[in-house]
Amino acid sequence: KQQVADLIGADSREIIFTSGATESNNMAIKGVARFYKSRKKHIITTQTEHKCVLDSCRSLETEGFHVTYLPVRKNGLIDLKELEAAFQPDTSLVSVMTVNNEIGVKQPIRDIGEICRARKVFFHTDAAQAIGKIPMDVNNMKIDLMSISGHKIYGPKGVGALYVRRRPRVRLEPLQSGGGQERGLRSGTVPTPLAVGLGAACEVAQQEMEYDHKRILKLAERLVTKIMNEVPDVVMNGDREHRYPGCINLSFAYVEGESLLMALKDVALSSGSACTSASLEPSYVLRAIGTDEDLAHSSVRFGIGRFTTEEEVDYTVQKCIQHVKRLREMSPLWEMVQDGIDLKSIKWTQH
């Protein structure tokens, strides 16, 4: 717990072991909402949160809570003025993720923390994609609850943590009842090997963070620059500046993301998020930033991590360029665009 706490500037007594960030998010959102429900029935979150945050909010709506789902701007960031306008006298919690799992954008967490603290509303952030990758300090950022995942920082799968602030104290109604482990907030025997693994991963992440970040930034720039120099009509989704560089989401116009994935079988990529990849709906995160449906279907997410090599990046770039060109040559839409036809102007016949 000390190793986890050190990584985020917390006290070890504020760390609760869970089975992962999904459970941590459920605990934080449902736990706070239910504990304060006699006086407060309103929660604020964003439209681009991870599925488990949105689903937790949906389930609270069936219990009579009101949830405001803030839109994001074209760059994927929330508008702080809209956040301020969304507060109600009975708002108990604001939940905004630090780094988005699909497009890598980084929300202004410190500003959000200030706004919430000034209004005495608890602030939760799903930091699964940020912990160990960018510096996080719960006091400096005024975070009251924070979700952490083990396998996102090269720890074991099946373990995570929830940071719960002691001063000002955050009270939760536990989801799981039992023998009262983890200060009664999460009963059940703590899985020692997993907890040890998470602690060790946090310690390594703290030592390597600065080095990793510089390296990943360089590789990410190499990937994006090389692809964009060779291929026209590629759009980078999400803000260029406020982001974590290891998560890159590109849309290749006139190419289906799925077809590109099939062509790049030997490279681990995804279209949309890993969690919703089973459905052919275009990503709700891309829809929220106003991406056209056809471009959303053309998107591919590249993840660059601690163990990614320059050779792997170059191989991926080369294969990507090759297959995008090949797939476009097969596309009648691409042909029409080359002939100067505006696709938006076409009336497709209805059968």
Side-chain angles (χ1 to χ4, degrees):
K1 285 194 177 177
Q2 192 63 59
Q3 291 166 309
V4 179
D6 285 347
L7 183 58
I8 60 171
D11 181 303
S12 62
R13 292 170 300 178
E14 299 175 306
I15 304 297
I16 288 155
F17 286 121
T18 67
S19 64
T22 292
E23 186 188 354
S24 299
N25 285 334
N26 273 267
M27 266 177 79
I29 292 164
K30 294 174 182 171
V32 167
R34 289 171 184 162
F35 191 92
Y36 297 97
K37 68 170 182 259
S38 59
R39 291 175 295 127
K40 300 183 166 183
K41 300 286 270 194
H42 181 242
I43 293 154
I44 300 172
T45 187
T46 79
Q47 293 175 1
T48 51
E49 293 300 305
H50 191 278
K51 261 277 189 268
C52 61
V53 167
L54 296 175
D55 280 357
S56 293
C57 289
R58 294 261 184 270
S59 93
L60 286 173
E61 285 179 307
T62 66
E63 294 174 27
F65 290 91
H66 303 286
V67 183
T68 299
Y69 299 93
L70 292 174
V72 292
R73 296 181 306 218
K74 270 231 172 289
N75 61 1
L77 301 176
I78 65 166
D79 182 332
L80 292 172
K81 290 204 166 40
E82 288 187 9
L83 170 65
E84 290 182 321
F87 282 92
Q88 294 174 11
D90 68 340
T91 305
S92 61
L93 183 74
V94 170
S95 180
V96 179
M97 75 200 313
T98 305
V99 170
N100 186 276
N101 55 308
E102 283 193 45
I103 56 175
V105 296
K106 190 164 92 213
Q107 299 291 352
I109 293 301
R110 193 176 170 177
D111 298 337
I112 298 169
E114 299 275 355
I115 291 169
C116 293
R117 183 64 57 85
R119 288 171 172 70
K120 294 193 163 47
V121 170
F122 292 130
F123 174 38
H124 164 254
T125 187
D126 169 3
Q129 294 283 351
I131 290 295
K133 297 174 184 172
I134 58 174
M136 295 292 291
D137 184 305
V138 291
N139 294 315
N140 175 8
M141 296 172 162
K142 302 198 166 28
I143 294 166
D144 298 306
L145 302 116
M146 177 155 79
S147 302
I148 298 172
S149 164
H151 68 267
K152 299 273 184 245
I153 53 169
Y154 308 100
K157 287 185 179 178
V159 68
L162 178 63
Y163 158 78
V164 182
R165 181 176 288 286
R166 285 171 71 95
R167 283 192 197 84
R169 192 180 182 84
V170 183
R171 309 290 298 274
L172 303 177
E173 189 179 290
L175 292 183
Q176 200 153 291
S177 321
Q181 290 90 342
E182 300 299 85
R183 302 211 322 273
L185 290 177
R186 198 222 184 247
S187 289
T189 305
V190 175
T192 308
L194 297 181
V196 169
L198 175 60
C202 285
E203 192 171 303
V204 173
Q206 194 167 7
Q207 292 159 0
E208 301 293 332
M209 190 176 337
E210 206 176 318
Y211 173 79
D212 279 350
H213 197 278
K214 280 190 189 130
R215 211 178 135 267
I216 289 170
L217 183 61
K218 231 166 70 189
L219 289 178
E221 282 172 352
R222 186 181 180 98
L223 179 109
V224 174
T225 309
K226 285 189 157 192
I227 288 178
M228 293 214 168
N229 285 345
E230 284 288 322
V231 185
D233 297 323
V234 179
V235 178
M236 185 170 180
N237 296 307
D239 196 274
R240 274 293 179 97
E241 295 304 305
H242 304 277
R243 63 180 310 107
Y244 166 65
C247 177
I248 304 159
N249 192 308
L250 301 178
S251 289
F252 297 89
Y254 320 111
V255 171
E256 189 131 31
E258 292 291 330
S259 322
L260 191 52
L261 289 194
M262 300 302 280
L264 298 168
K265 265 200 194 60
D266 52 345
V267 184
L269 303 165
S270 68
S271 63
S273 84
C275 322
T276 49
S277 54
S279 74
L280 285 173
E281 267 294 278
S283 145
Y284 65 87
V285 172
L286 294 180
R287 277 213 306 256
I289 61 173
T291 308
D292 280 347
E293 184 147 342
D294 46 357
L295 262 186
H297 277 300
S298 306
S299 83
V300 174
R301 184 180 62 166
F302 301 80
I304 296 178
R306 183 182 292 162
F307 302 111
T308 309
T309 64
E310 202 168 273
E311 295 75 50
E312 287 168 339
V313 167
D314 290 348
Y315 175 83
T316 302
V317 165
Q318 174 231 325
K319 284 279 189 232
C320 205
I321 293 168
Q322 178 193 333
H323 287 297
V324 167
K325 287 180 173 169
R326 179 180 65 83
L327 288 164
R328 279 182 178 170
E329 273 159 21
M330 295 157 57
S331 160
L333 296 178
W334 176 248
E335 209 173 301
M336 290 157 85
V337 171
Q338 299 313 297
D339 294 341
I341 299 169
D342 175 13
L343 296 183
K344 295 246 187 298
S345 67
I346 295 172
K347 293 273 177 283
W348 305 99
T349 59
Q350 293 290 319
H351 293 296

mmCIF file of all heavy atoms in Angstrom, residues 129-169:
data_model
loop_
_atom_site.group_PDB
_atom_site.id
_atom_site.type_symbol
_atom_site.label_atom_id
_atom_site.label_comp_id
_atom_site.label_asym_id
_atom_site.label_seq_id
_atom_site.Cartn_x
_atom_site.Cartn_y
_atom_site.Cartn_z
ATOM 1 N N GLN A 129 -5.490 4.904 -16.902
ATOM 2 C CA GLN A 129 -4.574 5.125 -18.023
ATOM 3 C C GLN A 129 -3.491 6.151 -17.711
ATOM 4 O O GLN A 129 -2.652 6.435 -18.551
ATOM 5 C CB GLN A 129 -5.365 5.616 -19.251
ATOM 6 C CG GLN A 129 -6.325 4.598 -19.817
ATOM 7 C CD GLN A 129 -5.639 3.514 -20.630
ATOM 8 O OE1 GLN A 129 -4.454 3.593 -20.931
ATOM 9 N NE2 GLN A 129 -6.384 2.488 -20.977
ATOM 10 N N ALA A 130 -3.542 6.742 -16.519
ATOM 11 C CA ALA A 130 -2.611 7.830 -16.214
ATOM 12 C C ALA A 130 -1.566 7.439 -15.178
ATOM 13 O O ALA A 130 -0.415 7.879 -15.247
ATOM 14 C CB ALA A 130 -3.397 9.035 -15.698
ATOM 15 N N ILE A 131 -1.968 6.593 -14.223
ATOM 16 C CA ILE A 131 -1.079 6.210 -13.132
ATOM 17 C C ILE A 131 0.213 5.604 -13.681
ATOM 18 O O ILE A 131 0.183 4.741 -14.541
ATOM 19 C CB ILE A 131 -1.784 5.149 -12.260
ATOM 20 C CG1 ILE A 131 -2.933 5.774 -11.499
ATOM 21 C CG2 ILE A 131 -0.814 4.516 -11.275
ATOM 22 C CD1 ILE A 131 -2.490 6.781 -10.511
ATOM 23 N N GLY A 132 1.339 6.084 -13.173
ATOM 24 C CA GLY A 132 2.621 5.508 -13.569
ATOM 25 C C GLY A 132 3.099 5.976 -14.932
ATOM 26 O O GLY A 132 4.187 5.627 -15.369
ATOM 27 N N LYS A 133 2.252 6.750 -15.630
ATOM 28 C CA LYS A 133 2.632 7.233 -16.958
ATOM 29 C C LYS A 133 2.847 8.744 -16.943
ATOM 30 O O LYS A 133 3.710 9.267 -17.627
ATOM 31 C CB LYS A 133 1.543 6.863 -17.976
ATOM 32 C CG LYS A 133 1.389 5.355 -18.121
ATOM 33 C CD LYS A 133 0.221 4.975 -19.007
ATOM 34 C CE LYS A 133 0.065 3.462 -19.041
ATOM 35 N NZ LYS A 133 -1.163 3.040 -19.721
ATOM 36 N N ILE A 134 2.001 9.432 -16.181
ATOM 37 C CA ILE A 134 2.190 10.867 -15.982
ATOM 38 C C ILE A 134 2.133 11.130 -14.472
ATOM 39 O O ILE A 134 1.487 10.381 -13.742
ATOM 40 C CB ILE A 134 1.109 11.707 -16.721
ATOM 41 C CG1 ILE A 134 -0.296 11.315 -16.256
ATOM 42 C CG2 ILE A 134 1.233 11.552 -18.232
ATOM 43 C CD1 ILE A 134 -1.383 12.185 -16.836
ATOM 44 N N PRO A 135 2.803 12.176 -13.995
ATOM 45 C CA PRO A 135 2.811 12.430 -12.547
ATOM 46 C C PRO A 135 1.399 12.736 -12.041
ATOM 47 O O PRO A 135 0.678 13.516 -12.652
ATOM 48 C CB PRO A 135 3.716 13.656 -12.407
ATOM 49 C CG PRO A 135 4.474 13.759 -13.688
ATOM 50 C CD PRO A 135 3.616 13.143 -14.742
ATOM 51 N N MET A 136 1.022 12.079 -10.953
ATOM 52 C CA MET A 136 -0.289 12.306 -10.340
ATOM 53 C C MET A 136 -0.062 12.586 -8.858
ATOM 54 O O MET A 136 0.666 11.842 -8.201
ATOM 55 C CB MET A 136 -1.179 11.065 -10.477
ATOM 56 C CG MET A 136 -1.561 10.679 -11.898
ATOM 57 S SD MET A 136 -2.666 11.857 -12.701
ATOM 58 C CE MET A 136 -4.177 11.614 -11.783
ATOM 59 N N ASP A 137 -0.699 13.641 -8.353
ATOM 60 C CA ASP A 137 -0.601 13.943 -6.925
ATOM 61 C C ASP A 137 -1.988 14.304 -6.415
ATOM 62 O O ASP A 137 -2.558 15.322 -6.803
ATOM 63 C CB ASP A 137 0.373 15.100 -6.690
ATOM 64 C CG ASP A 137 0.575 15.377 -5.204
ATOM 65 O OD1 ASP A 137 -0.438 15.597 -4.501
ATOM 66 O OD2 ASP A 137 1.727 15.380 -4.748
ATOM 67 N N VAL A 138 -2.534 13.457 -5.551
ATOM 68 C CA VAL A 138 -3.935 13.626 -5.140
ATOM 69 C C VAL A 138 -4.164 14.910 -4.351
ATOM 70 O O VAL A 138 -5.276 15.454 -4.379
ATOM 71 C CB VAL A 138 -4.434 12.412 -4.311
ATOM 72 C CG1 VAL A 138 -4.546 11.181 -5.183
ATOM 73 C CG2 VAL A 138 -3.530 12.144 -3.118
ATOM 74 N N ASN A 139 -3.139 15.408 -3.668
ATOM 75 C CA ASN A 139 -3.333 16.635 -2.890
ATOM 76 C C ASN A 139 -3.227 17.867 -3.768
ATOM 77 O O ASN A 139 -4.068 18.769 -3.715
ATOM 78 C CB ASN A 139 -2.328 16.691 -1.741
ATOM 79 C CG ASN A 139 -2.590 15.580 -0.739
ATOM 80 O OD1 ASN A 139 -3.739 15.340 -0.364
ATOM 81 N ND2 ASN A 139 -1.552 14.860 -0.341
ATOM 82 N N ASN A 140 -2.217 17.881 -4.586
ATOM 83 C CA ASN A 140 -2.011 18.974 -5.508
ATOM 84 C C ASN A 140 -3.206 19.112 -6.471
ATOM 85 O O ASN A 140 -3.632 20.213 -6.804
ATOM 86 C CB ASN A 140 -0.690 18.670 -6.250
ATOM 87 C CG ASN A 140 -0.394 19.654 -7.343
ATOM 88 O OD1 ASN A 140 -1.079 20.660 -7.478
ATOM 89 N ND2 ASN A 140 0.618 19.368 -8.127
ATOM 90 N N MET A 141 -3.760 17.966 -6.896
ATOM 91 C CA MET A 141 -4.866 17.986 -7.869
ATOM 92 C C MET A 141 -6.235 17.984 -7.190
ATOM 93 O O MET A 141 -7.261 17.973 -7.867
ATOM 94 C CB MET A 141 -4.739 16.786 -8.812
ATOM 95 C CG MET A 141 -3.484 16.832 -9.664
ATOM 96 S SD MET A 141 -3.274 15.298 -10.588
ATOM 97 C CE MET A 141 -2.124 15.823 -11.856
ATOM 98 N N LYS A 142 -6.229 17.947 -5.868
ATOM 99 C CA LYS A 142 -7.479 17.953 -5.094
ATOM 100 C C LYS A 142 -8.436 16.824 -5.500
ATOM 101 O O LYS A 142 -9.632 17.023 -5.721
ATOM 102 C CB LYS A 142 -8.163 19.326 -5.176
ATOM 103 C CG LYS A 142 -7.246 20.444 -4.655
ATOM 104 C CD LYS A 142 -7.991 21.702 -4.323
ATOM 105 C CE LYS A 142 -7.178 22.693 -3.508
ATOM 106 N NZ LYS A 142 -5.716 22.671 -3.678
ATOM 107 N N ILE A 143 -7.863 15.629 -5.611
ATOM 108 C CA ILE A 143 -8.646 14.441 -5.967
ATOM 109 C C ILE A 143 -9.092 13.767 -4.662
ATOM 110 O O ILE A 143 -8.289 13.595 -3.745
ATOM 111 C CB ILE A 143 -7.779 13.470 -6.804
ATOM 112 C CG1 ILE A 143 -7.432 14.105 -8.155
ATOM 113 C CG2 ILE A 143 -8.486 12.130 -6.990
ATOM 114 C CD1 ILE A 143 -6.326 13.388 -8.913
ATOM 115 N N ASP A 144 -10.366 13.380 -4.587
ATOM 116 C CA ASP A 144 -10.884 12.729 -3.372
ATOM 117 C C ASP A 144 -10.948 11.208 -3.513
ATOM 118 O O ASP A 144 -10.830 10.480 -2.526
ATOM 119 C CB ASP A 144 -12.287 13.256 -3.048
ATOM 120 C CG ASP A 144 -12.260 14.749 -2.772
ATOM 121 O OD1 ASP A 144 -11.469 15.170 -1.910
ATOM 122 O OD2 ASP A 144 -12.995 15.505 -3.439
ATOM 123 N N LEU A 145 -11.198 10.737 -4.745
ATOM 124 C CA LEU A 145 -11.219 9.290 -5.010
ATOM 125 C C LEU A 145 -10.531 9.051 -6.349
ATOM 126 O O LEU A 145 -10.729 9.820 -7.284
ATOM 127 C CB LEU A 145 -12.653 8.758 -5.088
ATOM 128 C CG LEU A 145 -13.549 8.976 -3.864
ATOM 129 C CD1 LEU A 145 -14.712 9.891 -4.231
ATOM 130 C CD2 LEU A 145 -14.073 7.640 -3.345
ATOM 131 N N MET A 146 -9.733 7.993 -6.420
ATOM 132 C CA MET A 146 -9.035 7.721 -7.674
ATOM 133 C C MET A 146 -8.935 6.220 -7.927
ATOM 134 O O MET A 146 -8.550 5.459 -7.038
ATOM 135 C CB MET A 146 -7.639 8.335 -7.641
ATOM 136 C CG MET A 146 -6.828 8.037 -8.868
ATOM 137 S SD MET A 146 -5.560 9.272 -9.148
ATOM 138 C CE MET A 146 -4.339 8.800 -8.016
ATOM 139 N N SER A 147 -9.280 5.819 -9.149
ATOM 140 C CA SER A 147 -9.240 4.402 -9.512
ATOM 141 C C SER A 147 -7.938 4.056 -10.222
ATOM 142 O O SER A 147 -7.475 4.803 -11.078
ATOM 143 C CB SER A 147 -10.415 4.064 -10.426
ATOM 144 O OG SER A 147 -11.624 4.380 -9.785
ATOM 145 N N ILE A 148 -7.396 2.908 -9.851
ATOM 146 C CA ILE A 148 -6.101 2.446 -10.355
ATOM 147 C C ILE A 148 -6.249 1.006 -10.834
ATOM 148 O O ILE A 148 -6.950 0.215 -10.213
ATOM 149 C CB ILE A 148 -5.052 2.499 -9.206
ATOM 150 C CG1 ILE A 148 -4.877 3.945 -8.729
ATOM 151 C CG2 ILE A 148 -3.731 1.878 -9.620
ATOM 152 C CD1 ILE A 148 -4.023 4.076 -7.479
ATOM 153 N N SER A 149 -5.561 0.681 -11.932
ATOM 154 C CA SER A 149 -5.605 -0.676 -12.479
ATOM 155 C C SER A 149 -4.209 -1.272 -12.487
ATOM 156 O O SER A 149 -3.241 -0.571 -12.791
ATOM 157 C CB SER A 149 -6.159 -0.607 -13.904
ATOM 158 O OG SER A 149 -5.876 -1.803 -14.590
ATOM 159 N N GLY A 150 -4.095 -2.538 -12.158
ATOM 160 C CA GLY A 150 -2.780 -3.183 -12.107
ATOM 161 C C GLY A 150 -2.152 -3.428 -13.466
ATOM 162 O O GLY A 150 -1.005 -3.077 -13.724
ATOM 163 N N HIS A 151 -2.919 -4.034 -14.373
ATOM 164 C CA HIS A 151 -2.285 -4.465 -15.628
ATOM 165 C C HIS A 151 -1.952 -3.318 -16.577
ATOM 166 O O HIS A 151 -1.191 -3.488 -17.511
ATOM 167 C CB HIS A 151 -3.126 -5.531 -16.338
ATOM 168 C CG HIS A 151 -4.426 -5.043 -16.881
ATOM 169 N ND1 HIS A 151 -5.606 -5.112 -16.170
ATOM 170 C CD2 HIS A 151 -4.740 -4.496 -18.069
ATOM 171 C CE1 HIS A 151 -6.579 -4.616 -16.910
ATOM 172 N NE2 HIS A 151 -6.085 -4.235 -18.062
ATOM 173 N N LYS A 152 -2.484 -2.133 -16.300
ATOM 174 C CA LYS A 152 -2.134 -0.990 -17.150
ATOM 175 C C LYS A 152 -0.736 -0.475 -16.852
ATOM 176 O O LYS A 152 -0.177 0.299 -17.622
ATOM 177 C CB LYS A 152 -3.117 0.175 -16.937
ATOM 178 C CG LYS A 152 -4.549 -0.162 -17.279
ATOM 179 C CD LYS A 152 -4.843 0.075 -18.734
ATOM 180 C CE LYS A 152 -6.300 -0.179 -19.030
ATOM 181 N NZ LYS A 152 -6.512 -1.307 -19.922
ATOM 182 N N ILE A 153 -0.173 -0.877 -15.715
ATOM 183 C CA ILE A 153 1.186 -0.431 -15.401
ATOM 184 C C ILE A 153 2.110 -1.634 -15.257
ATOM 185 O O ILE A 153 3.049 -1.617 -14.467
ATOM 186 C CB ILE A 153 1.231 0.458 -14.136
ATOM 187 C CG1 ILE A 153 0.559 -0.233 -12.951
ATOM 188 C CG2 ILE A 153 0.588 1.801 -14.365
ATOM 189 C CD1 ILE A 153 0.823 0.482 -11.639
ATOM 190 N N TYR A 154 1.818 -2.681 -16.032
ATOM 191 C CA TYR A 154 2.663 -3.881 -16.077
ATOM 192 C C TYR A 154 2.642 -4.662 -14.777
ATOM 193 O O TYR A 154 3.566 -5.423 -14.481
ATOM 194 C CB TYR A 154 4.115 -3.512 -16.476
ATOM 195 C CG TYR A 154 4.163 -2.688 -17.731
ATOM 196 C CD1 TYR A 154 4.325 -1.304 -17.688
ATOM 197 C CD2 TYR A 154 3.992 -3.295 -18.975
ATOM 198 C CE1 TYR A 154 4.331 -0.537 -18.839
ATOM 199 C CE2 TYR A 154 3.993 -2.540 -20.143
ATOM 200 C CZ TYR A 154 4.165 -1.168 -20.065
ATOM 201 O OH TYR A 154 4.158 -0.426 -21.212
ATOM 202 N N GLY A 155 1.588 -4.488 -14.000
ATOM 203 C CA GLY A 155 1.375 -5.326 -12.826
ATOM 204 C C GLY A 155 0.495 -6.503 -13.244
ATOM 205 O O GLY A 155 0.199 -6.677 -14.426
ATOM 206 N N PRO A 156 0.039 -7.312 -12.277
ATOM 207 C CA PRO A 156 -0.814 -8.455 -12.621
ATOM 208 C C PRO A 156 -2.217 -8.009 -13.034
ATOM 209 O O PRO A 156 -2.668 -6.919 -12.677
ATOM 210 C CB PRO A 156 -0.881 -9.262 -11.323
ATOM 211 C CG PRO A 156 -0.068 -8.545 -10.309
ATOM 212 C CD PRO A 156 0.295 -7.199 -10.835
ATOM 213 N N LYS A 157 -2.888 -8.863 -13.815
ATOM 214 C CA LYS A 157 -4.311 -8.633 -14.092
ATOM 215 C C LYS A 157 -5.113 -9.086 -12.885
ATOM 216 O O LYS A 157 -4.664 -9.927 -12.113
ATOM 217 C CB LYS A 157 -4.755 -9.450 -15.315
ATOM 218 C CG LYS A 157 -4.218 -8.871 -16.609
ATOM 219 C CD LYS A 157 -4.775 -9.614 -17.807
ATOM 220 C CE LYS A 157 -4.209 -8.978 -19.066
ATOM 221 N NZ LYS A 157 -4.651 -9.659 -20.283
ATOM 222 N N GLY A 158 -6.312 -8.515 -12.734
ATOM 223 C CA GLY A 158 -7.180 -8.955 -11.637
ATOM 224 C C GLY A 158 -6.949 -8.224 -10.336
ATOM 225 O O GLY A 158 -7.477 -8.602 -9.299
ATOM 226 N N VAL A 159 -6.147 -7.152 -10.381
ATOM 227 C CA VAL A 159 -5.951 -6.366 -9.161
ATOM 228 C C VAL A 159 -5.932 -4.881 -9.529
ATOM 229 O O VAL A 159 -5.539 -4.507 -10.630
ATOM 230 C CB VAL A 159 -4.638 -6.758 -8.428
ATOM 231 C CG1 VAL A 159 -3.400 -6.364 -9.227
ATOM 232 C CG2 VAL A 159 -4.584 -6.146 -7.026
ATOM 233 N N GLY A 160 -6.413 -4.071 -8.612
ATOM 234 C CA GLY A 160 -6.392 -2.620 -8.792
ATOM 235 C C GLY A 160 -6.481 -2.007 -7.411
ATOM 236 O O GLY A 160 -6.359 -2.702 -6.391
ATOM 237 N N ALA A 161 -6.697 -0.708 -7.367
ATOM 238 C CA ALA A 161 -6.828 -0.047 -6.075
ATOM 239 C C ALA A 161 -7.772 1.130 -6.209
ATOM 240 O O ALA A 161 -8.002 1.644 -7.311
ATOM 241 C CB ALA A 161 -5.460 0.427 -5.573
ATOM 242 N N LEU A 162 -8.326 1.519 -5.074
ATOM 243 C CA LEU A 162 -9.118 2.742 -5.015
ATOM 244 C C LEU A 162 -8.494 3.606 -3.929
ATOM 245 O O LEU A 162 -8.288 3.153 -2.800
ATOM 246 C CB LEU A 162 -10.577 2.430 -4.674
ATOM 247 C CG LEU A 162 -11.496 3.659 -4.529
ATOM 248 C CD1 LEU A 162 -11.613 4.421 -5.841
ATOM 249 C CD2 LEU A 162 -12.886 3.228 -4.053
ATOM 250 N N TYR A 163 -8.157 4.845 -4.300
ATOM 251 C CA TYR A 163 -7.694 5.814 -3.307
ATOM 252 C C TYR A 163 -8.930 6.514 -2.760
ATOM 253 O O TYR A 163 -9.774 6.980 -3.526
ATOM 254 C CB TYR A 163 -6.747 6.836 -3.968
ATOM 255 C CG TYR A 163 -6.656 8.131 -3.195
ATOM 256 C CD1 TYR A 163 -5.878 8.233 -2.047
ATOM 257 C CD2 TYR A 163 -7.387 9.249 -3.598
ATOM 258 C CE1 TYR A 163 -5.826 9.416 -1.321
ATOM 259 C CE2 TYR A 163 -7.341 10.439 -2.881
ATOM 260 C CZ TYR A 163 -6.564 10.506 -1.747
ATOM 261 O OH TYR A 163 -6.525 11.672 -1.030
ATOM 262 N N VAL A 164 -9.063 6.536 -1.424
ATOM 263 C CA VAL A 164 -10.203 7.208 -0.775
ATOM 264 C C VAL A 164 -9.648 8.196 0.253
ATOM 265 O O VAL A 164 -9.025 7.787 1.240
ATOM 266 C CB VAL A 164 -11.133 6.198 -0.064
ATOM 267 C CG1 VAL A 164 -12.323 6.921 0.548
ATOM 268 C CG2 VAL A 164 -11.620 5.131 -1.039
ATOM 269 N N ARG A 165 -9.879 9.474 0.039
ATOM 270 C CA ARG A 165 -9.308 10.521 0.897
ATOM 271 C C ARG A 165 -9.808 10.435 2.339
ATOM 272 O O ARG A 165 -10.984 10.182 2.590
ATOM 273 C CB ARG A 165 -9.645 11.889 0.294
ATOM 274 C CG ARG A 165 -9.087 13.067 1.084
ATOM 275 C CD ARG A 165 -9.354 14.392 0.394
ATOM 276 N NE ARG A 165 -8.537 14.578 -0.795
ATOM 277 C CZ ARG A 165 -7.230 14.870 -0.768
ATOM 278 N NH1 ARG A 165 -6.588 14.999 0.393
ATOM 279 N NH2 ARG A 165 -6.563 15.034 -1.885
ATOM 280 N N ARG A 166 -8.893 10.668 3.283
ATOM 281 C CA ARG A 166 -9.254 10.675 4.714
ATOM 282 C C ARG A 166 -9.585 12.069 5.220
ATOM 283 O O ARG A 166 -10.382 12.211 6.144
ATOM 284 C CB ARG A 166 -8.086 10.113 5.542
ATOM 285 C CG ARG A 166 -7.936 8.609 5.451
ATOM 286 C CD ARG A 166 -6.642 8.151 6.106
ATOM 287 N NE ARG A 166 -6.672 8.279 7.566
ATOM 288 C CZ ARG A 166 -7.009 7.285 8.399
ATOM 289 N NH1 ARG A 166 -7.348 6.116 7.901
ATOM 290 N NH2 ARG A 166 -6.994 7.471 9.695
ATOM 291 N N ARG A 167 -8.931 13.108 4.666
ATOM 292 C CA ARG A 167 -9.221 14.481 5.111
ATOM 293 C C ARG A 167 -9.295 15.398 3.916
ATOM 294 O O ARG A 167 -8.272 15.565 3.257
ATOM 295 C CB ARG A 167 -8.098 14.995 6.033
ATOM 296 C CG ARG A 167 -8.167 14.448 7.420
ATOM 297 C CD ARG A 167 -7.235 15.206 8.367
ATOM 298 N NE ARG A 167 -7.001 14.435 9.568
ATOM 299 C CZ ARG A 167 -6.083 13.479 9.681
ATOM 300 N NH1 ARG A 167 -5.291 13.216 8.673
ATOM 301 N NH2 ARG A 167 -5.938 12.808 10.805
ATOM 302 N N PRO A 168 -10.370 16.088 3.606
ATOM 303 C CA PRO A 168 -11.706 15.876 4.190
ATOM 304 C C PRO A 168 -12.203 14.467 3.864
ATOM 305 O O PRO A 168 -12.040 14.010 2.740
ATOM 306 C CB PRO A 168 -12.569 16.941 3.491
ATOM 307 C CG PRO A 168 -11.791 17.370 2.289
ATOM 308 C CD PRO A 168 -10.368 17.144 2.586
ATOM 309 N N ARG A 169 -12.780 13.841 4.847
ATOM 310 C CA ARG A 169 -13.098 12.424 4.766
ATOM 311 C C ARG A 169 -14.208 12.120 3.766
ATOM 312 O O ARG A 169 -15.242 12.772 3.739
ATOM 313 C CB ARG A 169 -13.531 11.918 6.148
ATOM 314 C CG ARG A 169 -13.614 10.406 6.244
ATOM 315 C CD ARG A 169 -14.048 9.993 7.647
ATOM 316 N NE ARG A 169 -14.086 8.550 7.800
ATOM 317 C CZ ARG A 169 -13.020 7.813 8.094
ATOM 318 N NH1 ARG A 169 -11.835 8.382 8.243
ATOM 319 N NH2 ARG A 169 -13.133 6.507 8.227
#
